[in-house]
Amino acid sequence: LLNYQFEHKQPQIGHNYYRLQQVDLDQQESLHAKVIDLMWGADGNSISIYPNPTRDVLNIDLYSARVENTVVKVLDMSGRVVKQLQARTEAGLNKLSISLGELAAGLYTVQVFESGRLGYTGKVQLSK
């Protein structure tokens, strides 16, 4: 069992991309194919959505500096809201999930609002 930990002490506001690179004792390197997109807000909040692409459940990890009323909206490519999740998030790490299984395969926009402010917007690919 291996555990990894990394603290990015000065992330940029907006998108920050992370990927695991492993270097073995014999100096053999391997690069993990999965890239994590972590969105940092000016107020210290961060948001990550995964897996992307997904077949059903989309996870939203939201680190909030304070208690927030959070709304997650999933929009189709014409801009219509096709799914919505409301939650009261606490200070610290919040794990939310939303089922997209009943939607048609395709590209969707995900928006996360915190206390009425748009904190994240991104795309998610739904495959069947």
Side-chain angles (χ1 to χ4, degrees):
L1 178 66
L2 299 174
N3 293 306
Y4 300 93
Q5 184 174 334
F6 173 78
E7 181 179 350
H8 191 173
K9 297 198 185 276
Q10 296 180 319
Q12 299 295 311
I13 293 174
H15 294 276
N16 289 259
Y17 300 95
Y18 302 91
R19 183 164 59 171
L20 180 65
Q21 178 181 7
Q22 179 177 312
V23 180
D24 295 334
L25 293 174
D26 63 1
Q27 301 304 308
Q28 291 290 323
E29 295 183 12
S30 59
L31 195 59
H32 196 280
K34 184 177 180 181
V35 175
I36 301 295
D37 177 10
L38 188 59
M39 181 79 162
W40 286 94
D43 56 3
N45 292 357
S46 69
I47 300 169
S48 178
I49 63 170
Y50 62 93
N52 192 5
T54 187
R55 291 186 179 275
D56 183 9
V57 175
L58 181 67
N59 298 302
I60 300 106
D61 286 355
L62 181 130
Y63 179 84
S64 184
R66 61 190 163 281
V67 173
E68 305 262 13
N69 291 317
T70 302
V71 177
V72 177
K73 293 182 180 181
V74 178
L75 297 86
D76 64 15
M77 288 290 91
S78 66
R80 289 181 299 138
V81 176
V82 293
K83 289 285 288 200
Q84 183 169 305
L85 170 70
Q86 295 185 15
R88 184 156 178 87
T89 52
E90 301 296 326
L93 181 61
N94 297 270
K95 293 184 171 288
L96 308 173
S97 60
I98 188 167
S99 176
L100 305 178
E102 70 279 1
L103 301 177
L107 190 62
Y108 293 87
T109 300
V110 178
Q111 296 178 331
V112 180
F113 293 85
E114 298 171 276
S115 296
R117 296 178 321 273
L118 181 61
Y120 175 88
T121 186
K123 303 282 187 219
V124 66
Q125 178 71 43
L126 179 61
S127 58
K128 296 294 180 170

